[in-house]
Amino acid sequence: MKIFKILLIIAGIIGVILWFLLPGSDVPVDVAATNTNVNLMFVVSYVLLAIAVILTVIFSIKSLFSHHKLKEMVISLVVFALVLIVSYALSSGSEVRASDGSLLASASTSKLVGGGLIAFYILAALAVAAMLFSSAKKLLIK
């Protein structure tokens, strides 16, 4: 764990240095967008995000195997996959065109986006239902 702290301190120092090297607010946006320090700041952000995601996945998997919750994880993944499949099947796959006739989204892109939106609505509704059920259960028990 000591090496992680050292790496985090190094990443923090690099981030602070890059923060002070960023262009000021008086610099035009098109010039600031091509600044090397801005690009380096994005690289540092992406690296830190990747590290966070990798560590989260590793420790989640470790926790699953150490607490014997593999069955619940498989059930959750199957339900999630079913939601995605149903959402994709329910979405329409029609082309989307602008008022001037130019193509905004192909049929396959439209189907993927529609499926993603439907999946979001289903998962949001399930989350709200779970919160309401939990609240009602607590009220009835007391």
Side-chain angles (χ1 to χ4, degrees):
M1 285 313 255
K2 192 172 186 176
I3 189 139
F4 290 124
K5 288 183 182 180
I6 293 170
L7 290 174
L8 285 175
I9 291 170
I10 291 171
I13 290 171
I14 291 171
V16 168
I17 291 170
L18 288 173
W19 177 264
F20 286 113
L21 294 176
L22 289 175
S25 60
D26 56 337
V27 178
V29 174
D30 56 340
V31 174
T34 59
N35 188 310
T36 305
N37 295 327
V38 173
N39 292 332
L40 287 174
M41 186 66 107
F42 278 117
V43 169
V44 169
S45 299
Y46 292 144
V47 168
L48 290 176
L49 177 65
I51 291 170
V53 168
I54 289 169
L55 288 176
T56 301
V57 169
I58 288 172
F59 286 120
S60 297
I61 292 171
K62 180 183 172 189
S63 174
L64 283 172
F65 287 118
S66 65
H67 297 296
H68 305 293
K69 295 188 177 190
L70 194 58
K71 180 180 175 184
E72 290 87 357
M73 181 195 70
V74 170
I75 291 171
S76 298
L77 287 176
V78 168
V79 169
F80 183 68
L82 286 174
V83 167
L84 292 179
I85 291 168
V86 167
S87 300
Y88 184 77
L90 290 176
S91 66
S92 67
S94 57
E95 288 184 345
V96 179
R97 297 203 174 266
S99 59
D100 64 354
S102 62
L103 183 66
L104 291 177
S106 66
S108 60
T109 302
S110 176
K111 190 151 182 81
L112 283 174
V113 170
L117 287 171
I118 292 171
F120 170 76
Y121 298 145
I122 292 172
L123 294 172
L126 288 174
V128 169
M131 288 187 290
L132 291 175
F133 177 74
S134 174
S135 297
K137 185 178 174 183
K138 286 181 183 178
L139 286 174
L140 294 176
I141 290 177
K142 287 184 180 183

